[in-house]
Amino acid sequence: MIDGTRLWIERAVIGLNLCPFARAPFQHGRVRLRVSQARDAEGVLDDLCGELQSLHAADPLECETTLLIVPHTLADFLDFNDFLDQADAAIEVLKLEGEIQVASFHPDFCFADSAADDVANCTNRSPWPILHLLRESSIERAVDAGADTDDIYRRNVDTLHRLGWPGWKALWQSEGKGE
């Protein structure tokens, strides 16, 4: 799961430049990848709380962000989406508001206003459900450097529409070259 997630980061997130802030932390080894062994939402919440605390305690120069991979539960996108309320509540309980936020990726991600088969949904699709723990300071630095998050979203949708399903599927074939 770690290798598959690394491949997704390399080919989609960085390769398609879906997140312009991902390259540097990934290349410098400051992205922690953890696999939750939880079999239910309660277990995922426990793992999430542990990772939130670990990220908060870590030196940002050593660990800037964490991806908590959740392969054994929350396979249903709507259940996963509902779980995000619990993730936000955990941040509040741990008094990490304004310090860490959780972004989400899911194999069946679908924007509220799009069809399930719209390739643009792939901007937030991952091999497994993933909770991405981000330091707010990292986001602030990116915004201060001129990043326009609305523009990133629009550019990502345009990128995926230009790529289309054949191009998206080619990313995952041997060597990522569509062979």
Side-chain angles (χ1 to χ4, degrees):
M1 281 162 228
I2 297 283
D3 290 342
T5 300
R6 282 187 190 284
L7 187 67
W8 168 70
I9 293 168
E10 291 168 355
R11 293 186 182 177
V13 177
I14 293 173
L16 296 176
N17 199 31
L18 298 179
C19 178
F21 327 119
R23 182 178 307 277
F26 186 74
Q27 289 179 336
H28 293 104
R30 295 190 316 257
V31 177
R32 180 171 36 214
L33 301 174
R34 294 288 190 249
V35 178
S36 170
Q37 296 304 319
R39 303 291 175 172
D40 58 27
E42 185 177 316
V44 173
L45 186 59
D46 288 343
D47 289 346
L48 174 63
C49 288
E51 289 302 324
L52 286 165
Q53 292 169 321
S54 291
L55 180 61
H56 180 67
D59 179 343
L61 297 176
E62 305 267 326
C63 180
E64 188 170 334
T65 190
T66 299
L67 276 73
L68 180 60
I69 305 160
V70 183
H72 306 295
T73 189
L74 300 174
D76 180 85
F77 176 62
L78 295 178
D79 292 342
F80 178 77
N81 207 38
D82 288 344
F83 178 81
L84 298 177
D85 290 334
Q86 293 180 55
D88 289 340
I91 289 172
E92 188 176 322
V93 167
L94 295 171
K95 301 191 182 327
L96 296 175
E97 291 175 291
E99 298 203 29
I100 298 176
Q101 64 178 259
V102 176
S104 60
F105 300 93
H106 194 279
D108 297 322
F109 178 88
C110 187
F111 289 110
D113 58 347
S114 70
D117 64 349
D118 185 344
V119 71
N121 292 319
C122 293
T123 64
N124 289 61
R125 286 192 179 166
S126 56
W128 299 274
I130 295 176
L131 299 167
H132 183 188
L133 288 56
L134 296 140
R135 293 179 191 270
E136 298 235 351
S137 58
S138 298
I139 297 166
E140 290 166 9
R141 278 193 310 277
V143 170
D144 289 346
D148 176 355
T149 54
D150 289 335
D151 184 54
I152 293 167
Y153 164 77
R154 285 188 295 274
R155 190 192 71 237
N156 288 349
V157 168
D158 290 345
T159 296
L160 268 293
H161 281 149
R162 278 193 313 276
L163 188 66
W165 280 112
W168 178 256
K169 290 176 182 172
L171 285 175
W172 312 112
Q173 293 179 2
S174 67
E175 304 303 316
K177 298 176 185 171
E179 299 171 346

